[in-house]
Amino acid sequence: MARKILFLFLFCCSVFGSGFTMEQFKWPAGVSFLKFLSDNEIPSSLYYDLSPEDQELTTEIAAEASCEVLKDEDGKIDQILIPISDELQIQIFKDAKNKYKIDFTPIAYNESTYTLGVTIENSPYIDINAATGNGFLANAFMLMFNKSVNFKNLRKGDQIALYYTQRDRLGQPFGQPQIISGMIEENGKSNYLYYFDSKYYDERGKMNEKFLFKLPIPGARVTSKFTPKRFHPVLKIYRAHLGTDYGAKKGTPIKAVGDGRVSFVGKKGGYGNTLEIQHVGGYKSLYAHLSKFAKGIKNGARIKQGEIVAYVGNTGLASGPHLHLGLYKNNKAMDFQKVVYTAKENIETKEKVLFQKFVKEQNQKLQKAIGGHNNPAKFVQFDNFIEL
Ligand SMILES: [Zn+2]
């Protein structure tokens, strides 16, 4: 408790030097943006005055998202920052006339590349977490090697080497790391994986993806691509589109992009009728603006890849009938078009030279990482979250 007060105190003094206080809170599960506004006595016109695209974006606020609130000396809200992705946040603030305004602003973060060397003492997850204080990284590593390594065969003293990028913000890891290459010994035998063209491959160029997705509406035209953050030069605002839109007539059947289990079925803010399917490997697919769901679609239902799960519509904030397809890995929105199934499973000849050069460079980095002499400083958790 003493540390919590001290940390908040230091934070307030160093940043504002006045009676203003900055606090962090986690977005409450199941609370819509509109409900949040009314709960905090912020006018709902802030939401209704947004364009339909921006209203739709507010649906992307994830449960447990780390938000920040700045309060004045009377404890009234002066400013709130709510992340909708790793790139963009909703900023609510008071203008000079003391009126609340809303804006979409880029999130400030640092991004660095690191090497990490860890010797197995307990398990890869425990040992990576202990070395870095970064649970995201430990998790990403387990998912990455899940298919190619039998973790039960590991022995004490086996080595792990990683080369990865991680964003950080306010002294904490922010968003998912991207592991660029990794090595793990399995009872002394080395296994390598390399991230090339948005997929993992082994050293021979064989694709190592646990999961390959198929198109939800084969042959449909992409009408809007995935865009993590884009500055609109005319409107002078930041925009994002955290999914892929497929144009199709109302009632067109939609197929599940992969095997999984229904994790949400119902209305979801600007997305209207929405279906979510949880897949292996931390993936989740989201189908929005549906006219109706297929028979037997309910929470927990098992779904096969290619099975008809719903029908195209224009419910929620859709100007015309289309499917908005979202894909998330560990709750981070990603570009579905990059992981959709293609016939090729191996690096093709024309890419081979580039791939081999990449492997060589990565192996040098991994070799230097072994032993952990260049490991990054460990993240330390501060217990300064409050409940709103
Ligand atoms: Zn969309």
Side-chain angles (χ1 to χ4, degrees):
M1 192 63 193
R3 190 178 63 177
K4 177 172 164 178
I5 292 167
L6 179 70
F7 182 71
L8 280 175
F9 178 74
L10 287 175
F11 201 73
C12 309
C13 290
S14 60
V15 181
F16 306 103
S18 68
F20 282 68
T21 54
M22 181 74 118
E23 292 166 1
Q24 292 183 313
F25 69 95
K26 300 252 188 200
W27 188 265
V31 171
S32 71
F33 184 62
L34 260 177
K35 168 109 175 36
F36 177 83
L37 294 182
S38 78
D39 287 354
N40 288 282
E41 293 168 27
I42 299 170
S44 57
S45 57
L46 238 53
Y47 174 81
Y48 290 111
D49 290 348
L50 290 173
S51 69
E53 291 94 331
D54 288 344
Q55 287 181 6
E56 186 180 279
L57 265 184
T58 66
T59 318
E60 285 288 328
I61 305 171
E64 301 285 293
S66 294
C67 308
E68 284 151 52
V69 57
L70 178 67
K71 289 180 176 170
D72 64 18
E73 42 277 86
D74 300 328
K76 291 235 164 67
I77 292 175
D78 187 79
Q79 203 181 127
I80 309 181
L81 297 171
I82 307 159
I84 50 166
S85 70
D86 284 358
E87 301 279 347
L88 267 190
Q89 60 194 346
I90 297 172
Q91 184 180 15
I92 298 170
F93 60 99
K94 276 186 178 166
D95 67 5
K97 291 182 192 139
N98 225 21
K99 271 186 76 179
Y100 282 116
K101 285 272 159 68
I102 188 168
D103 211 349
F104 287 81
T105 55
I107 296 175
Y109 55 78
N110 303 307
E111 186 174 79
S112 303
T113 308
Y114 303 99
T115 55
L116 180 77
V118 170
T119 305
I120 299 278
E121 294 291 335
N122 296 291
S123 76
Y125 185 90
I126 293 172
D127 296 328
I128 292 173
N129 203 12
T132 58
N134 185 347
F136 295 140
L137 182 67
N139 205 22
F141 179 84
M142 297 304 281
L143 285 172
M144 174 181 173
F145 278 102
N146 187 28
K147 190 180 163 189
S148 50
V149 170
N150 184 349
F151 293 117
K152 287 192 191 116
N153 293 342
L154 302 186
R155 295 285 176 272
K156 259 190 180 182
D158 275 342
Q159 299 293 318
I160 288 174
L162 290 181
Y163 182 64
Y164 65 99
T165 59
Q166 173 70 56
R167 294 171 178 182
D168 67 88
R169 201 166 171 257
L170 303 173
Q172 290 299 311
F174 174 70
Q176 295 296 322
Q178 179 61 61
I179 303 177
I180 301 159
S181 60
M183 186 284 294
I184 179 169
E185 287 178 350
E186 193 178 349
N187 199 7
K189 182 185 154 283
S190 303
N191 297 273
Y192 291 87
L193 284 178
Y194 307 90
Y195 193 66
F196 187 78
D197 198 18
S198 302
K199 294 174 197 78
Y200 281 110
Y201 294 89
D202 68 13
E203 64 270 40
R204 293 181 306 278
K206 188 173 181 307
M207 197 192 287
N208 190 275
E209 287 296 306
K210 285 172 285 300
F211 211 76
L212 290 165
F213 293 99
K214 291 200 171 160
L215 288 168
I217 309 172
R221 195 166 56 94
V222 172
T223 52
S224 178
K225 285 184 181 174
F226 179 86
T227 320
K229 180 184 75 184
R230 183 169 63 91
F231 187 68
H232 196 292
V234 179
L235 299 172
K236 302 234 179 300
I237 53 171
Y238 281 93
R239 275 279 164 76
H241 184 233
L242 300 176
T244 307
D245 286 352
Y246 296 94
K249 281 199 195 113
K250 189 175 170 184
T252 305
I254 299 165
K255 296 174 172 182
V257 297
D259 294 350
R261 241 175 221 285
V262 173
S263 55
F264 179 87
V265 52
K267 283 201 179 358
K268 199 170 189 189
Y271 285 151
N273 291 333
T274 302
L275 171 70
E276 292 181 5
I277 301 176
Q278 196 69 47
H279 309 284
V280 295
Y283 286 108
K284 182 181 84 181
S285 55
L286 174 149
Y287 313 74
H289 308 307
L290 309 170
S291 59
K292 58 177 185 170
F293 303 102
K295 258 201 187 133
I297 294 297
K298 54 177 197 294
N299 247 318
R302 264 180 202 278
I303 302 294
K304 283 261 157 246
Q305 187 172 53
E307 181 181 333
I308 292 171
V309 286
Y311 300 89
V312 171
N314 58 350
T315 56
L317 295 158
S319 49
H322 72 276
L323 168 67
H324 169 100
L325 177 76
L327 185 72
Y328 302 82
K329 190 170 183 182
N330 305 330
N331 286 326
K332 180 186 170 166
M334 59 184 294
D335 189 350
F336 177 76
Q337 286 183 288
K338 283 200 172 152
V339 290
V340 71
Y341 176 81
T342 50
K344 70 168 191 189
E345 284 201 25
N346 299 317
I347 298 282
E348 283 171 5
T349 330
K350 64 177 181 336
E351 293 168 312
K352 230 170 185 147
V353 176
L354 265 180
F355 179 72
Q356 279 162 352
K357 186 167 168 269
F358 180 70
V359 165
K360 207 174 154 196
E361 286 164 6
Q362 293 300 313
N363 284 351
Q364 283 169 359
K365 294 187 197 303
L366 292 174
Q367 199 57 43
K368 278 191 197 146
I370 291 174
H373 309 297
N374 302 309
N375 283 3
K378 190 174 166 177
F379 286 110
V380 182
Q381 280 283 340
F382 285 102
D383 181 23
N384 67 327
F385 282 93
I386 56 148
E387 297 286 333
L388 263 204

